[in-house]
Amino acid sequence: MSARFETNYLKQAFSSETDGSGSLPTLHYITKQQFGGQKRDRPMHSHDSLCEILLVYRGFGNYMIRSQTYPIQAGDILFYNQGESHEVRSMSDQEIGTYCFGVSDLRLNGLETNHIIPSDSYPVRPAGAMFDFLSQLCEHAYQLLDSGGFGKAAAQCLTAALLLIAHQLEVEPRMAMGSEQDTRMSDRIRDYLDRHFTEPLTLKTLAAAFQCSEPYISHLFKKTTGYSPIQYVIRRRIGLAQTYLVSSDYTATQIATLVGYDNTNYFNTIFTKVVGVSPIRYKKQYLETLRGEATQ
């Protein structure tokens, strides 16, 4: 017995801005973070023109997004919608094993462009019984993207399959740190920091902006995010510096200025302390694991 497709299932899942027909999202890159290596942090950062989906294939840690921190472990799928500041961090001295897919032109029916899940939905979902299948899918896509044109097209199709399967996974709410009231206030602080993190900022100026005491601002923000406001600013600066390193030809001196540091030596010291390697070494190691375009 044979089966016939009489429905355009791609059209049901994906929409197009032009003619409404189903079209696959653009795949920009796939990175594979090897489990067990020396930890190389990718601090708080965001992307203005793409979204990401990650599969944790081994290890455990925390996922910070939308001013909330969620515990993550092997088998989890992490969702990142365009424009959201986020960070994945190992809870040990070793790297978490992850596959990361960066895509744009994603138009899932019923959602905003470059949104994999609704903005108010939980950003972590367990793969459950689909874990082994999705792990193999990710590895095949990762290998194919480094081959010829047909291989890249196949990787794009596999990525679309990953997005559709992950989008339909059941939600199992994770307990995040902080009360609802604290979270709302923390969101306001985070929004302010996200707008001004490349500018000179102190806890004093932040407290004045919100007409609150410095200890209150610092304690509340750290309770909900795991970082003090100044630590958050540093991680946003280093996260942006990493993006410039892998997607531009700026020098270290230029990048230091762009992210808010006047002293290049101090920038190199802070970067190495946060990430674990120098800016130049980080760029080399990142590009060695990249499949696709360096657009992060």
Side-chain angles (χ1 to χ4, degrees):
M1 179 180 293
S2 61
R4 291 179 57 196
F5 285 144
E6 297 182 352
T7 302
N8 185 341
Y9 291 103
L10 281 179
K11 186 175 180 180
Q12 288 187 352
F14 299 107
S15 61
S16 169
E17 289 185 340
T18 54
D19 58 6
S21 61
S23 57
L24 297 180
T26 301
L27 172 61
H28 290 279
Y29 55 80
I30 305 174
T31 58
K32 181 180 181 181
Q33 185 164 274
Q34 297 291 344
F35 171 77
Q38 185 178 355
K39 184 165 67 173
R40 299 283 184 260
D41 275 353
R42 178 73 164 102
M44 296 298 300
H45 61 285
S46 62
H47 308 296
D48 296 331
S49 59
L50 55 81
C51 55
E52 289 180 335
I53 184 168
L54 289 83
L55 170 69
V56 181
Y57 68 83
R58 194 170 177 187
F60 62 95
N62 287 328
Y63 182 40
M64 182 178 174
I65 187 169
R66 307 171 194 160
S67 293
Q68 295 286 357
T69 301
Y70 300 87
I72 57 174
Q73 60 187 1
D76 283 341
I77 300 284
L78 315 183
F79 300 88
Y80 157 72
N81 293 329
Q82 176 179 303
E84 296 175 334
S85 299
H86 62 293
E87 173 182 331
V88 178
R89 191 176 191 189
S90 171
M91 295 306 292
S92 72
D93 292 332
Q94 296 182 323
E95 286 282 20
I96 304 175
T98 62
Y99 293 96
C100 176
F101 295 71
V103 303
S104 66
D105 305 313
L106 174 64
R107 300 181 183 90
L108 287 170
N109 282 328
L111 294 179
E112 297 178 48
T113 299
N114 293 334
H115 277 54
I116 313 173
I117 56 174
S119 296
D120 58 353
S121 180
Y122 287 93
V124 180
R125 299 182 186 181
M130 297 294 294
F131 175 53
D132 287 341
F133 172 78
L134 293 179
S135 295
Q136 294 180 42
L137 184 155
C138 289
E139 179 62 25
H140 287 314
Y142 178 72
Q143 297 297 336
L144 285 166
L145 196 56
D146 201 31
S147 59
F150 280 12
K152 289 178 170 60
Q156 183 182 15
C157 291
L158 290 177
T159 301
L162 170 65
L163 290 166
L164 293 176
I165 293 170
H167 172 77
Q168 298 179 86
L169 290 173
E170 292 187 10
V171 175
E172 292 184 7
R174 303 284 176 90
M175 184 64 68
M177 299 185 292
S179 66
E180 184 177 347
Q181 182 177 358
D182 287 344
T183 298
R184 286 198 297 268
M185 182 60 176
S186 182
D187 282 344
R188 292 179 57 204
I189 298 171
R190 177 185 56 80
D191 288 342
Y192 182 90
L193 295 177
D194 284 343
R195 292 194 304 271
H196 301 285
F197 71 90
T198 60
E199 305 168 11
L201 277 176
T202 65
L203 193 57
K204 182 177 181 179
T205 58
L206 185 62
F210 286 91
Q211 299 183 333
C212 297
S213 70
E214 294 177 35
Y216 172 77
I217 288 282
S218 182
H219 174 74
L220 182 145
F221 193 75
K222 188 166 186 176
K223 184 170 77 170
T224 56
T225 67
Y227 298 116
S228 71
I230 300 306
Q231 287 174 327
Y232 182 86
V233 167
I234 291 172
R235 298 188 75 80
R236 287 291 276 126
R237 287 180 173 183
I238 299 304
L240 180 58
Q242 287 174 314
T243 298
Y244 283 136
L245 280 168
V246 302
S247 63
S248 76
D249 294 323
Y250 289 136
T251 65
T253 299
Q254 290 172 317
I255 291 174
T257 301
L258 287 169
V259 302
Y261 293 109
D262 295 329
N263 187 306
T264 304
N265 290 332
Y266 182 67
F267 162 70
N268 287 334
T269 299
I270 292 294
F271 188 101
T272 302
K273 181 178 180 180
V274 172
V275 181
V277 292
S278 68
I280 300 304
R281 182 64 179 165
Y282 170 80
K283 180 174 184 175
K284 182 177 184 297
Q285 291 180 341
Y286 177 85
L287 294 179
E288 286 173 352
T289 67
L290 177 73
R291 296 288 188 275
E293 305 169 356
T295 57
Q296 293 199 74

